[in-house]
Amino acid sequence: MADTIYTISAFIALAAVITAGVRLIAGPTVADRVIALDVLTIITVSLIVYIARMSGRIIYVDVAMVYALISFVGVVAFARFLERGL
Amino acid sequence: MFPILLCYSLCLMMIIAAFGAVYVKNLTSAVIAAGAISLAASLLYLLLAAPDVAMTEAAIGSGLTSVVFLYTLHLIKKIDEGDDD
């Protein structure tokens, strides 16, 4: 039962990656691409936690935590650059 | 079965983002494409059972490199505006 739920959630995450990737490629403006990269980062954090659960190694959750913190700084830097130039 | 599929899709995403980073005209979009490359590379390192390399790639490639490139673009824009005066 739990295995079925994990498989379904993995394919939902993969579909979300594909959807955000289409917006990342075809975004007309730079702001669309920044938002698409932010969405991809959030999906990546969930995928890292999924991999940690699947492989049974709890140290992978630390990678997800570091990635969430660092990507926030990156998106804030992009937003400041787009608004008034860092 | 799912990690193999995830590896293939990550490799495809890295190749597409690399071509985008080289061939796109807007420089900010090129920086975003480089960030997407480091995002996929970090997840791929994690799938290859190297969590410390993945953590370093996340900190350096996605965070620090994007900020440094944006600071460089900001300086270039300021120098160009200074030449117009």
Side-chain angles (χ1 to χ4, degrees):
Chain A
M1 182 60 195
D3 205 6
T4 309
I5 293 175
Y6 285 142
T7 307
I8 290 172
S9 65
F11 277 102
I12 286 174
L14 201 60
V17 166
I18 291 171
T19 310
V22 167
R23 180 51 65 190
L24 183 67
I25 292 172
T29 65
V30 179
D32 286 332
R33 292 190 168 116
V34 173
I35 295 299
L37 188 68
D38 194 17
V39 172
L40 272 179
T41 303
I42 294 169
I43 300 165
T44 303
V45 169
S46 72
L47 276 178
I48 288 171
V49 177
Y50 176 81
I51 292 168
R53 175 64 185 84
M54 278 294 121
S55 63
R57 293 177 180 171
I58 203 65
I59 188 100
Y60 287 0
V61 181
D62 293 344
V63 181
M65 201 160 56
V66 169
Y67 203 81
L69 284 174
I70 293 301
S71 73
F72 172 72
V73 177
V75 171
V76 166
F78 269 113
R80 272 186 69 101
F81 176 74
L82 288 180
E83 187 62 31
R84 54 184 172 145
L86 212 64
Chain B
M1 171 273 218
F2 183 70
I4 302 297
L5 187 62
L6 191 58
C7 282
Y8 282 146
S9 56
L10 280 176
C11 293
L12 189 65
M13 178 184 164
M14 281 177 70
I15 291 171
I16 292 173
F19 275 108
V22 173
Y23 286 112
V24 79
K25 294 300 179 186
N26 193 1
L27 284 178
T28 314
S29 296
V31 175
I32 293 171
I37 291 174
S38 101
L39 189 144
S42 171
L43 202 49
L44 202 54
Y45 285 145
L46 196 69
L47 280 174
L48 294 174
D52 46 353
V53 187
M55 203 180 292
T56 311
E57 176 72 31
I60 302 293
S62 179
L64 191 62
T65 309
S66 298
V67 175
V68 168
F69 271 128
L70 286 179
Y71 183 61
T72 311
L73 286 181
H74 173 62
L75 287 184
I76 287 172
K77 191 184 295 180
K78 201 158 68 176
I79 287 172
D80 285 342
E81 287 174 356
D83 284 339
D84 289 336
D85 290 334

